[in-house]
């Protein structure tokens, strides 16, 4: 376990220098760009995977997924997920988000290619781990039944270690409520097998994070 913890900390700390303002865009074709994300649900198979906008399905190894109904309009949930500065107020998994210096307010200043450093708690005992994440896309879905906000993991070595992408899907249920789908698909890489050893902890963290978000947004709705 000490070896696993040391290796994962090394992996998640790659690129821990000061944040860049933007990451180099991924210019390869986006195999998941034409998917109806509003129709997706968490797989019944706990090792099942879902398509992502940047990487599609090729090379997918495992996934983490949580899904729940939030009693608030999609825009309220969407804004809360993109308000990275407020994660410390409600998120017991991602306890801090470092943003580049050109971002003064979220969600207003969020942009595609924006680099972030997430600090996570609870994956390895009482230790915190960090990961560099890059906003892939966001769309509040005007004229659509769902909205989408996506970011992907940057391992600092071009995806050789691991590739992963985290879509958040906000489906309008038509009654003032939102079906929220949050998942991350992990793709083949040198460190993916090591990360897979923490699948149970990751799944628990995603479930807790979803419940945290639900409580936070619903409380804000009640407060007006």
């Amino acid at each position: 376990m000490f070896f696993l913890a040391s290796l994962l900390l090394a992996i998640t700390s790659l690129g821990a220098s000061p944040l860049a303002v933007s990451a180099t865009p991924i210019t390869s074709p986006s195999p998941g760009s034409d998917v109806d994300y509003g129709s997706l649900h968490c797989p019944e198979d706990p090792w099942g995977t879902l398509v992502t906008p940047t990487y599609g399905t090729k090379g997918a190894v495992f996934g983490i997924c949580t899904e729940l109904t939030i009693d608030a309009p999609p825009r309220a949930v969407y804004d809360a997920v993109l308000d990275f500065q407020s994660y410390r107020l409600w998120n017991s998994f991602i306890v801090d988000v470092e943003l580049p210096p050109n971002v003064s307010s979220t969600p207003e200043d969020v942009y595609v290619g924006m680099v972030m450093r997430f600090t996570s708690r609870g994956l390895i005992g009482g230790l915190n781990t960090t990961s560099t994440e890059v906003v892939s896309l966001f769309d509040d879905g005007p004229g659509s039944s769902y909205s989408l906000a996506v970011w992907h993991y940057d391992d600092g070595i071009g995806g050789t270690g691991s590739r992963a992408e985290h879509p958040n899907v906000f489906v309008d249920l038509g009654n003032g409520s939102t079906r929220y789908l949050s998942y991350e698909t992990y793709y083949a890489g040198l460190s993916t097998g090591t990360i897979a050893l923490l699948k149970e902890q990751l799944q628990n963290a995603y479930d807790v994070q979803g419940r945290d978000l639900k409580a936070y947004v619903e409380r804000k709705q009640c407060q007006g």
Side-chain angles (χ1 to χ4, degrees), residues 27 44 70 74 102 113 136 162 164 175 186 192 212 216:
T27 56
E44 293 184 6
I70 299 177
N102 63 326
S136 306
S162 180
N175 59 357
Y186 294 80
T192 306
D212 286 348
Y216 173 69

Side-chain angles (χ1 to χ4, degrees), residues 75-97:
R75 186 60 194 236
V77 188
Y78 173 87
D79 284 349
V81 168
L82 288 177
D83 184 8
F84 299 107
Q85 290 173 322
S86 295
Y87 273 33
R88 59 183 177 80
L89 301 177
W90 62 268
N91 197 324
S92 59
F93 174 44
I94 306 298
V95 295
D96 185 65
V97 181

Side-chain angles (χ1 to χ4, degrees), residues 42-214:
C42 288
E44 293 184 6
D45 180 356
W47 285 91
T49 60
L50 294 174
V51 62
T52 69
T54 301
Y55 302 122
T57 58
K58 185 176 180 180
V61 176
F62 74 98
I64 306 298
C65 187
T66 194
E67 183 174 2
L68 70 166
T69 298
I70 299 177
D71 294 326
R75 186 60 194 236
V77 188
Y78 173 87
D79 284 349
V81 168
L82 288 177
D83 184 8
F84 299 107
Q85 290 173 322
S86 295
Y87 273 33
R88 59 183 177 80
L89 301 177
W90 62 268
N91 197 324
S92 59
F93 174 44
I94 306 298
V95 295
D96 185 65
V97 181
E98 181 184 352
L99 300 171
N102 63 326
V103 174
S104 58
S105 179
T106 57
E108 294 83 4
D109 293 347
V110 174
Y111 55 90
V112 172
M114 186 179 81
V115 181
M116 309 172 286
R117 184 171 295 126
F118 284 6
T119 299
S120 306
R121 178 179 296 160
L123 292 180
I124 307 174
L127 298 176
N128 288 350
T129 57
T130 62
S131 63
T132 300
E133 310 286 336
V134 180
V135 175
S136 306
L137 66 93
F138 57 96
D139 180 3
D140 62 2
S144 174
S145 62
Y146 71 92
S147 306
L148 193 61
V150 187
W151 50 86
H152 62 270
Y153 170 59
D154 182 357
D155 67 355
I157 50 176
T160 301
S162 180
R163 292 176 298 134
E165 190 158 50
H166 179 182
N168 298 267
V169 186
F170 315 86
V171 180
D172 189 349
L173 296 178
N175 59 357
S177 297
T178 303
R179 180 173 68 84
Y180 174 58
L181 177 71
S182 174
Y183 67 93
E184 188 158 17
T185 300
Y186 294 80
Y187 297 83
L190 295 177
S191 64
T192 306
T194 299
I195 298 171
L197 295 176
L198 294 175
K199 185 181 185 306
E200 183 177 349
Q201 292 94 317
L202 283 164
Q203 182 61 60
N204 179 68
Y206 264 59
D207 290 341
V208 171
Q209 182 176 233
R211 293 194 295 269
D212 286 348
L213 176 65
K214 174 180 171 69

